[in-house]
Amino acid sequence: MKRNYQLQLDRVLTELGAQRPRLLLQSCCGPCSSYVLSYLTQHFDVTLLYYNPNIQPRAEYDKRLACQKALLQKAFPQVTLLECSYDGEAFARVSAGLEQEPEGGARCAVCFRLRLEETARRAAEGGFDWFCTTLTVSPHKNAAVINAIGEQLAAQYAVAWLPSDFKKRDGYRQSIALSHAYDLYRQDYCGCLFARAAQAKNSRTPGREQAEHEIHE
């Protein structure tokens, strides 16, 4: 049976009641974090982790980081940012041999694990109650894969994983609206140059534009 991660999150939030646990949230970018932060800061004391060694080239990484900082300054000054040093070599190591994988395949899975494991490790070391990621807000990211990895790492690092499928209930569309409201830079590829090349190729395929905007609620 297909799991509904949004309903699982609803149950977690109901059980929290008036508590405000500490959450370490891995963010892929400012636009995706806009909606997720507006949602989660109602229930958690959030620290945002910017760890994205997959983003290439370095100039693009810096541009997205600047966007992330701008969002926090404008809308979420209560959120602490943990900024990691750029480590493109880490992504190169885990993606070696997977360069030709299709978008959404094995290369994406190891990329998710790379970023989530760093989040879980830091959450455990920092005494956080929960860890999570903004990645599930994207309609192009497999929420089941992301949550499965998160659950595995939760057991490994002994810190609770917050289930999510933030694209539900118009989460993705709300992130677009908030990005416009805060005048955020919206990138046109997920991060790695392999994905960028594949996207450029697919953009020449008839019907691609319509598929890009399909959101499954």
Side-chain angles (χ1 to χ4, degrees):
M1 180 182 295
K2 186 176 180 180
R3 293 168 62 182
N4 189 317
Y5 295 102
Q6 178 61 57
L7 291 181
Q8 286 186 240
L9 176 56
D10 288 345
R11 287 194 288 270
V12 170
L13 298 182
T14 297
E15 291 170 1
L16 288 180
Q19 300 177 63
R20 288 189 61 84
R22 295 178 67 221
L23 169 70
L24 185 61
L25 176 67
Q26 186 270 335
S27 174
C28 57
C29 64
C32 286
S33 70
S34 60
Y35 166 71
V36 178
L37 284 171
S38 68
Y39 185 5
L40 294 182
T41 52
Q42 299 176 62
H43 306 282
F44 296 90
D45 289 333
V46 179
T47 295
L48 189 143
L49 178 68
Y50 192 85
Y51 177 70
N52 295 292
N54 59 303
I55 298 176
Q56 303 165 320
R58 176 60 188 273
E60 178 69 18
Y61 176 91
D62 291 339
K63 190 172 184 178
R64 296 189 195 188
L65 176 57
C67 173
Q68 182 71 81
K69 290 179 178 179
L71 172 66
L72 297 185
Q73 291 170 357
K74 292 176 181 178
F76 304 100
Q78 77 276 29
V79 173
T80 299
L81 174 65
L82 289 182
E83 176 186 341
C84 299
S85 299
Y86 183 68
D87 186 15
E89 288 300 316
F91 176 72
R93 287 192 297 271
V94 300
S95 63
L98 301 173
E99 294 86 352
Q100 302 306 314
E101 280 286 310
E103 187 69 3
R107 187 183 63 248
C108 290
V110 298
C111 180
F112 299 155
R113 180 173 291 276
L114 174 66
R115 290 185 277 176
L116 289 180
E117 182 156 14
E118 180 68 9
T119 311
R121 183 186 69 79
R122 286 176 176 258
E125 289 182 353
F128 287 86
D129 302 296
W130 300 82
F131 76 105
C132 189
T133 179
T134 64
L135 286 165
T136 63
V137 79
S138 169
H140 309 300
K141 299 292 186 291
N142 189 319
V145 171
I146 293 167
N147 279 281
I149 293 170
E151 289 168 357
Q152 293 164 11
L153 293 170
Q156 180 179 341
Y157 287 89
V159 61
W161 165 253
L162 188 68
S164 74
D165 194 355
F166 292 120
K167 71 178 70 64
K168 298 292 187 178
R169 298 175 184 165
D170 269 348
Y172 178 64
R173 290 191 179 94
Q174 290 188 59
S175 75
I176 294 174
L178 288 168
S179 295
H180 289 309
Y182 295 123
D183 192 28
L184 301 179
Y185 163 65
R186 287 185 58 81
Q187 63 273 8
D188 59 4
Y189 68 106
C190 76
C192 78
L193 295 180
F194 309 121
R196 188 178 192 180
Q199 182 171 308
K201 180 180 179 180
N202 290 339
S203 67
R204 296 190 290 271
T205 302
R208 172 70 177 180
E209 183 175 354
Q210 180 177 354
E212 286 287 331
H213 292 84
E214 289 180 355
I215 313 296
H216 300 287
E217 300 299 340

